[in-house]
Amino acid sequence: EAQVTQNPRYLITVTGKKLTVTCSQNMNHEYMSWYRQDPGLGLRQIYYSMNVEVTDKGDVPEGYKVSRKEKRNFPLILESPSPNQTSLYFCASSSGTSGGNEQFFGPGTRLTVL
Amino acid sequence: GENVEQHPSTLSVQEGDSAVIKCTYSDSASNYFPWYKQELGKRPQLIIDIRSNVGEKKDQRIAVTLNKTAKHFSLHITETQPEDSAVYFCAAKTDRGSTLGRLYFGRGTQLTVWP
């Protein structure tokens, strides 16, 4: 089954404790992206990647890191989480960068930073 | 970069009525406009999309219209049903240079359909 997976789905952590949220897709998609969703603010892009070893900042990259060593994986790293990073996070992928390419979303990761 | 504005932020309609959600965009190079539906506790899922060379597209009770000159596009849902209740997001995608492939989202519209 074609899908985007994220782990963990739920995470409660404390300020400053490094964490990684994994994202994997099995559709051979070039483009992958991370969003955070907060009430009233919609989906804001954190980082995106157009292919292996190619990543770029989105609109809200501060406090996050990403890497794209393999085509299928795009982990999101919070080196020193803070309470303002409490949010719902979505990973997404699509087959290309130009034209109309449906973006498929993962199930989401609900992160709470205490 | 692109700026997508979406209105209204909340919309309540009676079952059977029509619902319209409107979005504007700023970058004339944007050429792909998808709409996503997000049910409570679920991930956003594509429901319909339109490309810049088309003015209107329909899929059963859902239609999207695009006015490139005015840089706005709209989602129309007819004969609404309670299961249409969800948050709807519009988005725009550009092929321009440094923002190639990025999808810019509106802030969402919470649609509630009352039985």
Side-chain angles (χ1 to χ4, degrees):
Chain A
E1 180 192 353
Q3 60 182 346
V4 180
T5 57
Q6 293 178 229
N7 281 292
R9 296 287 315 279
Y10 303 90
L11 179 60
I12 301 174
T13 189
V14 294
T15 299
K17 187 176 181 183
K18 181 179 178 180
L19 66 93
T20 298
V21 184
T22 65
C23 173
S24 184
Q25 49 90 9
N26 62 1
M27 296 171 277
N28 201 36
H29 285 170
E30 292 88 9
Y31 186 89
M32 297 186 75
S33 182
W34 276 103
Y35 299 89
R36 61 177 289 174
Q37 184 176 18
D38 303 288
L41 297 178
L43 292 157
R44 294 182 294 168
Q45 193 173 54
I46 302 169
Y47 269 95
Y48 64 101
S49 169
M50 292 200 282
N51 216 322
V52 176
E53 302 291 3
V54 180
T55 64
D56 209 346
K57 296 177 180 178
D59 297 317
V60 287
E62 295 79 19
Y64 304 95
K65 285 174 61 176
V66 293
S67 69
R68 187 92 182 272
K69 294 183 170 55
E70 307 164 279
K71 199 171 189 179
R72 62 183 293 130
N73 296 324
F74 190 45
L76 179 70
I77 303 153
L78 285 72
E79 295 268 4
S80 183
S82 61
N84 64 11
Q85 293 179 298
T86 293
S87 188
L88 177 59
Y89 292 86
F90 287 102
C91 179
S93 73
S94 65
S95 61
T97 54
S98 62
N101 304 99
E102 178 179 355
Q103 197 154 129
F104 293 86
F105 284 83
T109 295
R110 187 165 292 281
L111 172 66
T112 301
V113 183
L114 302 174
Chain B
E2 173 67 282
N3 181 42
V4 178
E5 306 236 346
Q6 182 172 347
H7 298 280
S9 56
T10 60
L11 180 59
S12 292
V13 299
Q14 201 76 32
E15 182 177 2
D17 288 350
S18 295
V20 180
I21 302 170
K22 298 182 179 181
C23 289
T24 61
Y25 62 98
S26 60
D27 190 343
S28 57
S30 289
N31 58 9
Y32 173 65
F33 307 91
W35 286 87
Y36 285 81
K37 176 183 181 181
Q38 186 181 27
E39 296 176 351
L40 190 63
K42 302 273 183 72
R43 73 191 80 187
Q45 291 194 294
L46 181 73
I47 54 170
I48 196 168
D49 56 14
I50 192 167
R51 301 182 191 215
S52 59
N53 58 351
V54 175
E56 182 174 0
K57 185 177 179 181
K58 287 185 78 171
D59 182 4
Q60 299 183 333
R61 296 187 296 107
I62 292 172
V64 58
T65 59
L66 171 64
N67 183 327
K68 282 170 51 180
T69 304
K71 296 207 207 73
H72 66 71
F73 56 112
S74 301
L75 178 71
H76 304 253
I77 307 174
T78 58
E79 300 171 28
T80 53
Q81 301 165 3
E83 51 265 38
D84 293 330
S85 296
V87 178
Y88 291 81
F89 292 99
C90 64
K93 187 181 201 180
T94 176
D95 282 344
R96 186 198 294 278
S98 62
T99 58
L100 178 70
R102 281 190 65 181
L103 203 56
Y104 293 84
F105 284 89
R107 292 192 173 193
T109 296
Q110 172 67 63
L111 173 64
T112 303
V113 181
W114 301 99

PDB file of all heavy atoms in Angstrom, chain A residues 36-44 86-88 110, chain B residues 4-10 38 87-89 105-110:
ATOM      1  N   ARG A  36       3.956  22.094  10.355  1.00  0.00           N
ATOM      2  CA  ARG A  36       3.344  22.085  11.666  1.00  0.00           C
ATOM      3  C   ARG A  36       1.980  22.736  11.555  1.00  0.00           C
ATOM      4  O   ARG A  36       1.786  23.674  10.755  1.00  0.00           O
ATOM      5  CB  ARG A  36       4.207  22.765  12.720  1.00  0.00           C
ATOM      6  CG  ARG A  36       4.525  24.219  12.508  1.00  0.00           C
ATOM      7  CD  ARG A  36       5.337  24.797  13.672  1.00  0.00           C
ATOM      8  NE  ARG A  36       4.542  24.941  14.890  1.00  0.00           N
ATOM      9  CZ  ARG A  36       5.024  25.306  16.068  1.00  0.00           C
ATOM     10  NH1 ARG A  36       6.313  25.548  16.203  1.00  0.00           N
ATOM     11  NH2 ARG A  36       4.246  25.431  17.126  1.00  0.00           N
ATOM     12  N   GLN A  37       1.037  22.209  12.332  1.00  0.00           N
ATOM     13  CA  GLN A  37      -0.323  22.718  12.296  1.00  0.00           C
ATOM     14  C   GLN A  37      -0.704  23.203  13.681  1.00  0.00           C
ATOM     15  O   GLN A  37      -0.680  22.433  14.654  1.00  0.00           O
ATOM     16  CB  GLN A  37      -1.305  21.642  11.830  1.00  0.00           C
ATOM     17  CG  GLN A  37      -2.730  22.172  11.690  1.00  0.00           C
ATOM     18  CD  GLN A  37      -3.689  21.147  11.128  1.00  0.00           C
ATOM     19  OE1 GLN A  37      -3.434  19.946  11.132  1.00  0.00           O
ATOM     20  NE2 GLN A  37      -4.813  21.614  10.615  1.00  0.00           N
ATOM     21  N   ASP A  38      -1.054  24.470  13.772  1.00  0.00           N
ATOM     22  CA  ASP A  38      -1.481  25.088  15.015  1.00  0.00           C
ATOM     23  C   ASP A  38      -2.832  25.741  14.793  1.00  0.00           C
ATOM     24  O   ASP A  38      -3.099  26.262  13.699  1.00  0.00           O
ATOM     25  CB  ASP A  38      -0.450  26.125  15.472  1.00  0.00           C
ATOM     26  CG  ASP A  38       0.935  25.525  15.637  1.00  0.00           C
ATOM     27  OD1 ASP A  38       1.108  24.769  16.612  1.00  0.00           O
ATOM     28  OD2 ASP A  38       1.828  25.778  14.793  1.00  0.00           O
ATOM     29  N   PRO A  39      -3.688  25.747  15.823  1.00  0.00           N
ATOM     30  CA  PRO A  39      -5.045  26.308  15.671  1.00  0.00           C
ATOM     31  C   PRO A  39      -5.011  27.723  15.110  1.00  0.00           C
ATOM     32  O   PRO A  39      -4.299  28.592  15.613  1.00  0.00           O
ATOM     33  CB  PRO A  39      -5.584  26.282  17.107  1.00  0.00           C
ATOM     34  CG  PRO A  39      -4.830  25.183  17.766  1.00  0.00           C
ATOM     35  CD  PRO A  39      -3.454  25.213  17.179  1.00  0.00           C
ATOM     36  N   GLY A  40      -5.791  27.948  14.056  1.00  0.00           N
ATOM     37  CA  GLY A  40      -5.899  29.281  13.478  1.00  0.00           C
ATOM     38  C   GLY A  40      -4.768  29.673  12.557  1.00  0.00           C
ATOM     39  O   GLY A  40      -4.834  30.717  11.903  1.00  0.00           O
ATOM     40  N   LEU A  41      -3.727  28.843  12.486  1.00  0.00           N
ATOM     41  CA  LEU A  41      -2.566  29.202  11.659  1.00  0.00           C
ATOM     42  C   LEU A  41      -2.405  28.293  10.447  1.00  0.00           C
ATOM     43  O   LEU A  41      -1.493  28.493   9.641  1.00  0.00           O
ATOM     44  CB  LEU A  41      -1.289  29.180  12.499  1.00  0.00           C
ATOM     45  CG  LEU A  41      -1.245  30.183  13.648  1.00  0.00           C
ATOM     46  CD1 LEU A  41       0.045  30.028  14.435  1.00  0.00           C
ATOM     47  CD2 LEU A  41      -1.384  31.615  13.127  1.00  0.00           C
ATOM     48  N   GLY A  42      -3.237  27.294  10.337  1.00  0.00           N
ATOM     49  CA  GLY A  42      -3.166  26.422   9.172  1.00  0.00           C
ATOM     50  C   GLY A  42      -1.934  25.550   9.174  1.00  0.00           C
ATOM     51  O   GLY A  42      -1.394  25.196  10.228  1.00  0.00           O
ATOM     52  N   LEU A  43      -1.479  25.203   7.990  1.00  0.00           N
ATOM     53  CA  LEU A  43      -0.297  24.345   7.809  1.00  0.00           C
ATOM     54  C   LEU A  43       0.882  25.225   7.413  1.00  0.00           C
ATOM     55  O   LEU A  43       0.889  25.832   6.350  1.00  0.00           O
ATOM     56  CB  LEU A  43      -0.576  23.312   6.714  1.00  0.00           C
ATOM     57  CG  LEU A  43      -1.626  22.263   7.051  1.00  0.00           C
ATOM     58  CD1 LEU A  43      -2.221  21.678   5.788  1.00  0.00           C
ATOM     59  CD2 LEU A  43      -0.997  21.170   7.905  1.00  0.00           C
ATOM     60  N   ARG A  44       1.885  25.249   8.260  1.00  0.00           N
ATOM     61  CA  ARG A  44       3.054  26.065   7.967  1.00  0.00           C
ATOM     62  C   ARG A  44       4.243  25.145   7.687  1.00  0.00           C
ATOM     63  O   ARG A  44       4.531  24.230   8.454  1.00  0.00           O
ATOM     64  CB  ARG A  44       3.361  27.002   9.144  1.00  0.00           C
ATOM     65  CG  ARG A  44       2.276  28.058   9.359  1.00  0.00           C
ATOM     66  CD  ARG A  44       2.641  28.997  10.496  1.00  0.00           C
ATOM     67  NE  ARG A  44       2.666  28.320  11.782  1.00  0.00           N
ATOM     68  CZ  ARG A  44       3.175  28.836  12.887  1.00  0.00           C
ATOM     69  NH1 ARG A  44       3.734  30.040  12.860  1.00  0.00           N
ATOM     70  NH2 ARG A  44       3.141  28.154  14.027  1.00  0.00           N
ATOM     71  N   THR A  86       5.399  22.770  20.779  1.00  0.00           N
ATOM     72  CA  THR A  86       4.238  21.908  20.974  1.00  0.00           C
ATOM     73  C   THR A  86       3.286  22.143  19.813  1.00  0.00           C
ATOM     74  O   THR A  86       2.848  23.264  19.577  1.00  0.00           O
ATOM     75  CB  THR A  86       3.543  22.236  22.310  1.00  0.00           C
ATOM     76  OG1 THR A  86       4.415  21.873  23.375  1.00  0.00           O
ATOM     77  CG2 THR A  86       2.220  21.490  22.440  1.00  0.00           C
ATOM     78  N   SER A  87       2.971  21.084  19.091  1.00  0.00           N
ATOM     79  CA  SER A  87       2.196  21.243  17.858  1.00  0.00           C
ATOM     80  C   SER A  87       1.863  19.879  17.283  1.00  0.00           C
ATOM     81  O   SER A  87       2.297  18.838  17.787  1.00  0.00           O
ATOM     82  CB  SER A  87       3.000  22.059  16.840  1.00  0.00           C
ATOM     83  OG  SER A  87       2.225  22.383  15.704  1.00  0.00           O
ATOM     84  N   LEU A  88       1.095  19.915  16.201  1.00  0.00           N
ATOM     85  CA  LEU A  88       0.800  18.713  15.410  1.00  0.00           C
ATOM     86  C   LEU A  88       1.658  18.795  14.148  1.00  0.00           C
ATOM     87  O   LEU A  88       1.586  19.784  13.419  1.00  0.00           O
ATOM     88  CB  LEU A  88      -0.686  18.668  15.055  1.00  0.00           C
ATOM     89  CG  LEU A  88      -1.163  17.515  14.182  1.00  0.00           C
ATOM     90  CD1 LEU A  88      -0.880  16.169  14.843  1.00  0.00           C
ATOM     91  CD2 LEU A  88      -2.655  17.663  13.901  1.00  0.00           C
ATOM     92  N   ARG A 110       1.669  14.172  17.168  1.00  0.00           N
ATOM     93  CA  ARG A 110       1.284  15.201  18.150  1.00  0.00           C
ATOM     94  C   ARG A 110       2.376  15.275  19.204  1.00  0.00           C
ATOM     95  O   ARG A 110       2.591  14.334  19.954  1.00  0.00           O
ATOM     96  CB  ARG A 110      -0.065  14.895  18.769  1.00  0.00           C
ATOM     97  CG  ARG A 110      -0.549  16.028  19.653  1.00  0.00           C
ATOM     98  CD  ARG A 110      -2.015  15.933  19.999  1.00  0.00           C
ATOM     99  NE  ARG A 110      -2.905  16.139  18.870  1.00  0.00           N
ATOM    100  CZ  ARG A 110      -3.219  17.328  18.365  1.00  0.00           C
ATOM    101  NH1 ARG A 110      -2.681  18.422  18.859  1.00  0.00           N
ATOM    102  NH2 ARG A 110      -4.073  17.431  17.361  1.00  0.00           N
TER     103      ARG A 110
ATOM    104  N   VAL B   4      -1.141  33.038   0.392  1.00  0.00           N
ATOM    105  CA  VAL B   4      -2.497  32.547   0.121  1.00  0.00           C
ATOM    106  C   VAL B   4      -3.403  32.952   1.276  1.00  0.00           C
ATOM    107  O   VAL B   4      -3.117  32.643   2.435  1.00  0.00           O
ATOM    108  CB  VAL B   4      -2.500  31.011  -0.046  1.00  0.00           C
ATOM    109  CG1 VAL B   4      -3.922  30.504  -0.268  1.00  0.00           C
ATOM    110  CG2 VAL B   4      -1.605  30.591  -1.199  1.00  0.00           C
ATOM    111  N   GLU B   5      -4.475  33.646   0.949  1.00  0.00           N
ATOM    112  CA  GLU B   5      -5.452  34.062   1.957  1.00  0.00           C
ATOM    113  C   GLU B   5      -6.750  33.302   1.717  1.00  0.00           C
ATOM    114  O   GLU B   5      -7.182  33.160   0.566  1.00  0.00           O
ATOM    115  CB  GLU B   5      -5.707  35.562   1.856  1.00  0.00           C
ATOM    116  CG  GLU B   5      -4.442  36.392   1.918  1.00  0.00           C
ATOM    117  CD  GLU B   5      -4.489  37.420   3.031  1.00  0.00           C
ATOM    118  OE1 GLU B   5      -5.568  37.666   3.568  1.00  0.00           O
ATOM    119  OE2 GLU B   5      -3.432  37.967   3.359  1.00  0.00           O
ATOM    120  N   GLN B   6      -7.367  32.866   2.799  1.00  0.00           N
ATOM    121  CA  GLN B   6      -8.560  32.027   2.704  1.00  0.00           C
ATOM    122  C   GLN B   6      -9.667  32.607   3.570  1.00  0.00           C
ATOM    123  O   GLN B   6      -9.432  32.985   4.719  1.00  0.00           O
ATOM    124  CB  GLN B   6      -8.210  30.605   3.160  1.00  0.00           C
ATOM    125  CG  GLN B   6      -9.338  29.609   3.068  1.00  0.00           C
ATOM    126  CD  GLN B   6      -8.892  28.178   3.355  1.00  0.00           C
ATOM    127  OE1 GLN B   6      -7.695  27.873   3.390  1.00  0.00           O
ATOM    128  NE2 GLN B   6      -9.855  27.302   3.569  1.00  0.00           N
ATOM    129  N   HIS B   7     -10.887  32.622   3.017  1.00  0.00           N
ATOM    130  CA  HIS B   7     -12.048  33.148   3.742  1.00  0.00           C
ATOM    131  C   HIS B   7     -13.293  32.330   3.395  1.00  0.00           C
ATOM    132  O   HIS B   7     -13.425  31.873   2.259  1.00  0.00           O
ATOM    133  CB  HIS B   7     -12.298  34.607   3.350  1.00  0.00           C
ATOM    134  CG  HIS B   7     -11.165  35.501   3.685  1.00  0.00           C
ATOM    135  ND1 HIS B   7     -10.941  35.994   4.950  1.00  0.00           N
ATOM    136  CD2 HIS B   7     -10.163  35.969   2.911  1.00  0.00           C
ATOM    137  CE1 HIS B   7      -9.854  36.741   4.924  1.00  0.00           C
ATOM    138  NE2 HIS B   7      -9.361  36.745   3.712  1.00  0.00           N
ATOM    139  N   PRO B   8     -14.206  32.150   4.340  1.00  0.00           N
ATOM    140  CA  PRO B   8     -14.109  32.596   5.738  1.00  0.00           C
ATOM    141  C   PRO B   8     -13.316  31.592   6.572  1.00  0.00           C
ATOM    142  O   PRO B   8     -12.988  30.512   6.092  1.00  0.00           O
ATOM    143  CB  PRO B   8     -15.575  32.615   6.171  1.00  0.00           C
ATOM    144  CG  PRO B   8     -16.187  31.493   5.388  1.00  0.00           C
ATOM    145  CD  PRO B   8     -15.477  31.475   4.062  1.00  0.00           C
ATOM    146  N   SER B   9     -13.047  31.918   7.811  1.00  0.00           N
ATOM    147  CA  SER B   9     -12.340  30.983   8.674  1.00  0.00           C
ATOM    148  C   SER B   9     -13.303  29.945   9.251  1.00  0.00           C
ATOM    149  O   SER B   9     -12.886  28.821   9.567  1.00  0.00           O
ATOM    150  CB  SER B   9     -11.611  31.713   9.794  1.00  0.00           C
ATOM    151  OG  SER B   9     -12.516  32.505  10.530  1.00  0.00           O
ATOM    152  N   THR B  10     -14.568  30.324   9.411  1.00  0.00           N
ATOM    153  CA  THR B  10     -15.593  29.373   9.828  1.00  0.00           C
ATOM    154  C   THR B  10     -16.823  29.576   8.968  1.00  0.00           C
ATOM    155  O   THR B  10     -17.116  30.696   8.540  1.00  0.00           O
ATOM    156  CB  THR B  10     -15.977  29.527  11.313  1.00  0.00           C
ATOM    157  OG1 THR B  10     -16.485  30.847  11.519  1.00  0.00           O
ATOM    158  CG2 THR B  10     -14.786  29.306  12.216  1.00  0.00           C
ATOM    159  N   GLN B  38      -9.640  18.080   5.821  1.00  0.00           N
ATOM    160  CA  GLN B  38      -9.092  17.437   7.002  1.00  0.00           C
ATOM    161  C   GLN B  38     -10.207  17.191   8.009  1.00  0.00           C
ATOM    162  O   GLN B  38     -10.728  18.128   8.622  1.00  0.00           O
ATOM    163  CB  GLN B  38      -7.991  18.295   7.633  1.00  0.00           C
ATOM    164  CG  GLN B  38      -7.292  17.605   8.793  1.00  0.00           C
ATOM    165  CD  GLN B  38      -6.222  18.472   9.417  1.00  0.00           C
ATOM    166  OE1 GLN B  38      -6.277  19.693   9.381  1.00  0.00           O
ATOM    167  NE2 GLN B  38      -5.233  17.826  10.016  1.00  0.00           N
ATOM    168  N   VAL B  87     -12.302  20.655   8.203  1.00  0.00           N
ATOM    169  CA  VAL B  87     -11.516  21.843   7.869  1.00  0.00           C
ATOM    170  C   VAL B  87     -11.046  21.693   6.428  1.00  0.00           C
ATOM    171  O   VAL B  87     -10.535  20.634   6.044  1.00  0.00           O
ATOM    172  CB  VAL B  87     -10.313  22.013   8.812  1.00  0.00           C
ATOM    173  CG1 VAL B  87      -9.494  23.231   8.402  1.00  0.00           C
ATOM    174  CG2 VAL B  87     -10.777  22.150  10.248  1.00  0.00           C
ATOM    175  N   TYR B  88     -11.230  22.744   5.654  1.00  0.00           N
ATOM    176  CA  TYR B  88     -10.813  22.736   4.254  1.00  0.00           C
ATOM    177  C   TYR B  88      -9.667  23.727   4.064  1.00  0.00           C
ATOM    178  O   TYR B  88      -9.731  24.862   4.540  1.00  0.00           O
ATOM    179  CB  TYR B  88     -11.991  23.121   3.347  1.00  0.00           C
ATOM    180  CG  TYR B  88     -13.065  22.057   3.317  1.00  0.00           C
ATOM    181  CD1 TYR B  88     -14.006  21.971   4.345  1.00  0.00           C
ATOM    182  CD2 TYR B  88     -13.118  21.129   2.294  1.00  0.00           C
ATOM    183  CE1 TYR B  88     -14.980  20.982   4.336  1.00  0.00           C
ATOM    184  CE2 TYR B  88     -14.101  20.129   2.270  1.00  0.00           C
ATOM    185  CZ  TYR B  88     -15.018  20.069   3.297  1.00  0.00           C
ATOM    186  OH  TYR B  88     -15.976  19.081   3.299  1.00  0.00           O
ATOM    187  N   PHE B  89      -8.636  23.274   3.368  1.00  0.00           N
ATOM    188  CA  PHE B  89      -7.480  24.114   3.078  1.00  0.00           C
ATOM    189  C   PHE B  89      -7.335  24.295   1.576  1.00  0.00           C
ATOM    190  O   PHE B  89      -7.395  23.317   0.822  1.00  0.00           O
ATOM    191  CB  PHE B  89      -6.190  23.463   3.588  1.00  0.00           C
ATOM    192  CG  PHE B  89      -6.066  23.389   5.080  1.00  0.00           C
ATOM    193  CD1 PHE B  89      -6.372  22.223   5.757  1.00  0.00           C
ATOM    194  CD2 PHE B  89      -5.623  24.486   5.804  1.00  0.00           C
ATOM    195  CE1 PHE B  89      -6.252  22.145   7.129  1.00  0.00           C
ATOM    196  CE2 PHE B  89      -5.503  24.417   7.188  1.00  0.00           C
ATOM    197  CZ  PHE B  89      -5.819  23.247   7.847  1.00  0.00           C
ATOM    198  N   PHE B 105      -0.170  27.061   1.772  1.00  0.00           N
ATOM    199  CA  PHE B 105      -1.530  26.806   2.237  1.00  0.00           C
ATOM    200  C   PHE B 105      -2.200  28.049   2.791  1.00  0.00           C
ATOM    201  O   PHE B 105      -1.547  28.912   3.387  1.00  0.00           O
ATOM    202  CB  PHE B 105      -1.515  25.745   3.339  1.00  0.00           C
ATOM    203  CG  PHE B 105      -1.311  24.344   2.835  1.00  0.00           C
ATOM    204  CD1 PHE B 105      -0.037  23.822   2.690  1.00  0.00           C
ATOM    205  CD2 PHE B 105      -2.399  23.548   2.502  1.00  0.00           C
ATOM    206  CE1 PHE B 105       0.153  22.526   2.220  1.00  0.00           C
ATOM    207  CE2 PHE B 105      -2.216  22.256   2.040  1.00  0.00           C
ATOM    208  CZ  PHE B 105      -0.942  21.755   1.892  1.00  0.00           C
ATOM    209  N   GLY B 106      -3.518  28.109   2.620  1.00  0.00           N
ATOM    210  CA  GLY B 106      -4.323  29.063   3.351  1.00  0.00           C
ATOM    211  C   GLY B 106      -4.483  28.582   4.781  1.00  0.00           C
ATOM    212  O   GLY B 106      -4.056  27.472   5.141  1.00  0.00           O
ATOM    213  N   ARG B 107      -5.124  29.391   5.619  1.00  0.00           N
ATOM    214  CA  ARG B 107      -5.222  29.064   7.046  1.00  0.00           C
ATOM    215  C   ARG B 107      -6.358  28.106   7.369  1.00  0.00           C
ATOM    216  O   ARG B 107      -6.486  27.672   8.509  1.00  0.00           O
ATOM    217  CB  ARG B 107      -5.360  30.337   7.875  1.00  0.00           C
ATOM    218  CG  ARG B 107      -4.094  31.174   7.861  1.00  0.00           C
ATOM    219  CD  ARG B 107      -4.146  32.256   8.910  1.00  0.00           C
ATOM    220  NE  ARG B 107      -2.870  32.948   8.999  1.00  0.00           N
ATOM    221  CZ  ARG B 107      -2.539  33.758   9.978  1.00  0.00           C
ATOM    222  NH1 ARG B 107      -3.379  33.992  10.973  1.00  0.00           N
ATOM    223  NH2 ARG B 107      -1.361  34.360   9.994  1.00  0.00           N
ATOM    224  N   GLY B 108      -7.178  27.817   6.397  1.00  0.00           N
ATOM    225  CA  GLY B 108      -8.212  26.815   6.633  1.00  0.00           C
ATOM    226  C   GLY B 108      -9.574  27.410   6.921  1.00  0.00           C
ATOM    227  O   GLY B 108      -9.694  28.525   7.426  1.00  0.00           O
ATOM    228  N   THR B 109     -10.611  26.646   6.583  1.00  0.00           N
ATOM    229  CA  THR B 109     -11.998  27.003   6.866  1.00  0.00           C
ATOM    230  C   THR B 109     -12.665  25.835   7.568  1.00  0.00           C
ATOM    231  O   THR B 109     -12.685  24.716   7.035  1.00  0.00           O
ATOM    232  CB  THR B 109     -12.765  27.313   5.561  1.00  0.00           C
ATOM    233  OG1 THR B 109     -12.204  28.451   4.933  1.00  0.00           O
ATOM    234  CG2 THR B 109     -14.252  27.555   5.855  1.00  0.00           C
ATOM    235  N   GLN B 110     -13.181  26.098   8.754  1.00  0.00           N
ATOM    236  CA  GLN B 110     -13.933  25.065   9.475  1.00  0.00           C
ATOM    237  C   GLN B 110     -15.367  25.104   8.976  1.00  0.00           C
ATOM    238  O   GLN B 110     -16.099  26.061   9.258  1.00  0.00           O
ATOM    239  CB  GLN B 110     -13.887  25.321  10.976  1.00  0.00           C
ATOM    240  CG  GLN B 110     -14.797  24.393  11.782  1.00  0.00           C
ATOM    241  CD  GLN B 110     -14.344  22.946  11.753  1.00  0.00           C
ATOM    242  OE1 GLN B 110     -13.261  22.623  12.234  1.00  0.00           O
ATOM    243  NE2 GLN B 110     -15.184  22.059  11.198  1.00  0.00           N
TER     244      GLN B 110
END
